[in-house]
């Protein structure tokens, strides 16, 4: 089942279940995908869909941080529910061990020697882990292994 079919199915289920949070979140995801499709001028590839979903996930993570700072526990709870729904559409996230293994492989492929090769390693690593690991976590793992 394609992502758009999955989203439509989940939207119908949320309507039937009268689950407002899920319905609103799925609608936001659908709108973001449609906007990206219009901007691109063609049907989105799986990679482009993954980019949109990652952006939606990051927005919700940033919102949770801001709401926590402002002591808005009501909004934090709702945004966490939205985040869980968005994460259902993303591929399974890599464990720290898997991420470190991917970093090691990228370092050996690029023959990186030190911190000056950070950019080369990240350029080789990011396409392999796209959607499966956070860029910040990858960056930290590369820095740690290059030092």
């Amino acid at each position: 089942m394609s992502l758009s079919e999955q989203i439509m199915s989940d939207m119908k289920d949320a309507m039937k279940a009268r689950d407002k949070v899920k319905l609103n979140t799925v609608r936001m995801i659908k709108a973001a995908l449609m906007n990206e499709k219009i901007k691109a001028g063609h049907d989105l590839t799986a990679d482009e869909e993954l980019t949109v979903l990652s952006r939606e996930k990051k927005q919700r993570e940033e919102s949770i941080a801001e709401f926590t700072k402002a002591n808005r526990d009501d909004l934090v709870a709702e945004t966490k529910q939205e985040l869980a729904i968005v994460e259902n559409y993303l591929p399974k996230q890599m464990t720290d061990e898997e991420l470190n293994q991917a970093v090691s492989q990228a370092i050996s492929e690029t023959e990186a020697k030190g911190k000056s090769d950070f950019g080369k390693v990240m350029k080789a690593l990011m396409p392999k882990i796209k959607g499966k690991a956070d860029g910040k976590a990858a960056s930290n793992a590369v820095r740690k292994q290059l030092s």
Side-chain angles (χ1 to χ4, degrees):
M1 186 182 295
S2 74
L3 181 62
S4 59
E5 291 170 345
Q6 179 68 41
I7 286 173
M8 289 304 293
S9 171
D10 289 350
M11 199 174 352
K12 288 177 191 171
D13 293 344
M15 282 183 208
K16 288 177 185 173
R18 299 184 191 271
D19 184 347
K20 283 187 177 181
V21 174
K22 183 171 186 175
L23 180 60
N24 289 337
T25 305
V26 173
R27 280 182 173 159
M28 282 189 267
I29 293 169
K30 184 176 183 224
L33 289 167
M34 286 301 296
N35 288 338
E36 192 67 25
K37 179 181 176 180
I38 291 166
K39 193 187 311 180
H42 59 80
D43 286 341
L44 298 179
T45 64
D47 222 25
E48 291 169 327
E49 289 175 341
L50 195 59
T51 301
V52 172
L53 289 171
S54 296
R55 188 179 323 131
E56 292 294 312
K57 178 183 177 206
K58 186 174 182 181
Q59 284 176 351
R60 280 160 182 80
E61 288 171 341
E62 290 170 354
S63 295
I64 289 170
E66 291 298 317
F67 294 150
T68 302
K69 274 189 218 172
N71 291 324
R72 293 295 309 268
D73 296 332
D74 55 329
L75 294 175
V76 169
E78 186 177 327
T79 309
K80 282 185 178 180
Q81 287 178 324
E82 290 178 7
L83 180 61
I85 293 166
V86 171
E87 286 175 339
N88 285 338
Y89 297 107
L90 288 167
K92 182 179 166 285
Q93 296 295 296
M94 295 176 108
T95 63
D96 289 339
E97 185 179 305
E98 291 170 331
L99 179 60
N100 286 328
Q101 197 172 24
V103 169
S104 296
Q105 186 178 2
I107 288 172
S108 65
E109 285 174 8
T110 58
E111 298 174 0
K113 304 290 183 221
K115 290 183 180 182
S116 60
D117 296 325
F118 176 81
K120 260 197 314 191
V121 175
M122 287 299 289
K123 188 175 180 180
L125 176 66
M126 289 311 289
K128 295 177 185 174
I129 65 167
K130 186 172 189 163
K132 297 178 192 168
D134 182 41
K136 202 178 291 183
S139 172
N140 290 338
V142 170
R143 278 194 183 89
K144 187 176 177 183
Q145 288 192 28
L146 285 178
S147 60

